[in-house]
Amino acid sequence: MRMKSILSRRAFTALAGAAVIATAMPVTSFAADVTIPIIVKDTTSFYWQIVLAGARAAGKDLGVNVPELGAQAESDINGQISILENAVAGKPAAIVISPTEFKALGKPIDEAAKSVPIIGIDSGADSKAFKSFLTTDNVQGGRIAADGLAAAIKEMTGKEEGEVVILTNLPGVGSLEQRREGFLDQVKTKHPGLKVIADKYGDGQATTGLNMMTDLITANPNLVGVFASNLILGQGVGQAIAENKLGEKIKVIAFDSDDKTVGFLKDGSLAGLVVQDPYRMGYDGVKTALAVSKGEKVEEKVDTGANLVTKANMSDPKIDALLNPKIK
């Protein structure tokens, strides 16, 4: 059972950060004969720390070792491949992984699956070897972002019209490309008054998002909307909007949440956040992996859901639970 108290984000970040310093070691010791490592994209990000917290809780509830593994940045593709290979060498019961890059992780996952069952979470890879895949419907998430941006622009100007941009954190990441696809398709089919004037990629750094957004503000005086497709870009774009005091002129929808982006939502620098359920991904990922290791039948695909959070609904119990996950 989860505790009813909710840790502050700062307290949780400190605890989770300490837990992933030694990423190759199990967080806790249970049944030594059942080990299920979880490999995330970036152990330093608040989003992935929530995923790890869910996996940690599942390990405690189910009585298995759950080593918390991952590189220090989502851009470290080779680092994740090495971590996967090392995890396989340890002969675990199963492995849970969120691939950093769709094509690059395809063959390594195929190879790993020859020795151990692989459960995918969050982002896909060019592989058909996953025993189960648990993720947000990221195409739908992009559509939700487009609808939220259109509504925010209409509330601001009285019409769903104007110049907008889409910023993607890194090229070739399955989940991000799907969000981009969903956003662009929804704009084209449902909100044709919105004109996408820029479609840019970052390099995985919040400061790059800040600089990209600052340049876009300068070069595009008629800009009215932005979709920032992940937490890191949401931080950078939100900071650019806040520093230039443009919350009433440029509406931004970002993906995922942390203290910083929630703060930007409260002060109007961001108009909305598309929030996933990373805790569930981590928890159910480990639970599914254990079932697979026992030979049990599991669902091949599981949609873990997404919701649009605005200043108006952020206090709703369901939304509050997503913004402030309960941690053991």
Side-chain angles (χ1 to χ4, degrees):
M1 297 295 291
R2 301 180 187 175
M3 288 176 61
K4 294 184 178 180
S5 61
I6 301 176
L7 295 184
S8 71
R9 288 175 175 272
R10 288 188 178 86
F12 170 53
T13 301
L15 289 172
V20 298
I21 290 174
T23 56
M25 295 300 293
V27 172
T28 186
S29 295
F30 284 104
D33 58 336
V34 181
T35 295
I36 299 174
I38 180 168
I39 305 173
V40 297
K41 297 180 183 180
D42 172 7
T43 57
T44 69
S45 165
F46 182 73
Y47 176 85
W48 294 109
Q49 288 170 9
I50 298 174
V51 172
L52 292 175
R56 190 181 314 135
K60 291 179 180 178
D61 290 349
L62 300 172
V64 300
N65 294 313
V66 182
E68 298 177 8
L69 312 177
Q72 297 297 297
E74 292 194 21
S75 56
D76 188 3
I77 297 169
N78 289 333
Q80 192 186 56
I81 292 172
S82 295
I83 290 168
L84 174 60
E85 291 171 347
N86 289 336
V88 172
K91 299 181 180 179
I95 292 175
V96 180
I97 186 171
S98 178
T100 54
E101 204 275 338
F102 183 80
K103 290 189 177 298
L105 268 292
K107 289 184 178 179
I109 286 172
D110 284 342
E111 191 64 28
K114 294 176 182 179
S115 304
V116 60
I118 305 293
I119 305 300
I121 59 171
D122 185 78
S123 296
D126 190 12
S127 172
K128 296 181 179 179
F130 293 110
K131 294 296 185 181
S132 182
F133 196 82
L134 299 86
T135 186
T136 303
D137 182 339
N138 282 292
V139 173
Q140 178 62 17
R143 294 191 184 109
I144 291 171
D147 291 343
L149 187 59
I153 291 170
K154 184 174 182 180
E155 183 177 356
M156 176 177 64
T157 67
K159 52 188 177 181
E160 286 188 5
E161 296 179 4
E163 298 179 353
V164 302
V165 300
I166 177 170
L167 302 179
T168 302
N169 192 43
L170 288 165
V173 179
S175 58
L176 302 186
E177 294 295 348
Q178 289 164 3
R179 293 170 197 172
R180 174 180 171 275
E181 173 192 338
F183 179 85
L184 291 172
D185 180 69
Q186 194 77 345
V187 166
K188 181 179 179 180
T189 59
K190 301 293 184 180
H191 311 291
L194 301 182
K195 181 182 179 183
V196 179
I197 61 168
D199 182 0
K200 295 181 176 293
Y201 288 89
D203 61 3
Q205 303 298 318
T207 52
T208 301
L210 168 62
N211 294 334
M212 289 169 65
M213 190 64 230
T214 301
D215 291 344
L216 285 165
I217 290 169
T218 301
N220 302 281
N222 296 321
L223 185 65
V224 295
V226 180
F227 172 42
S229 70
N230 84 331
L231 177 62
I232 293 171
L233 278 182
Q235 294 169 343
V237 172
Q239 185 174 341
I241 296 296
E243 289 179 355
N244 290 279
K245 297 180 171 59
L246 290 173
E248 295 303 316
K249 183 180 177 182
I250 300 175
K251 296 302 178 182
V252 180
I253 303 295
F255 231 90
D256 299 324
S257 67
D258 69 350
D259 266 346
K260 193 167 188 177
T261 54
V262 170
F264 287 145
L265 183 64
K266 290 178 179 178
D267 70 21
S269 299
L270 298 180
L273 299 169
V274 181
V275 178
Q276 307 178 80
D277 195 344
Y279 190 96
R280 179 185 172 190
M281 284 188 203
Y283 192 101
D284 285 0
V286 171
K287 183 178 179 181
T288 302
L290 179 60
V292 168
S293 74
K294 294 178 177 180
E296 298 174 9
K297 186 176 181 180
V298 299
E299 293 184 42
E300 291 185 7
K301 292 185 179 180
V302 179
D303 179 7
T304 53
N307 295 270
L308 179 66
V309 179
T310 65
K311 195 172 182 178
N313 73 357
M314 63 187 302
S315 296
D316 293 352
K318 177 183 177 182
I319 299 300
D320 181 70
L322 294 172
L323 293 177
N324 299 288
K326 297 178 180 180
I327 308 302
K328 287 188 175 181

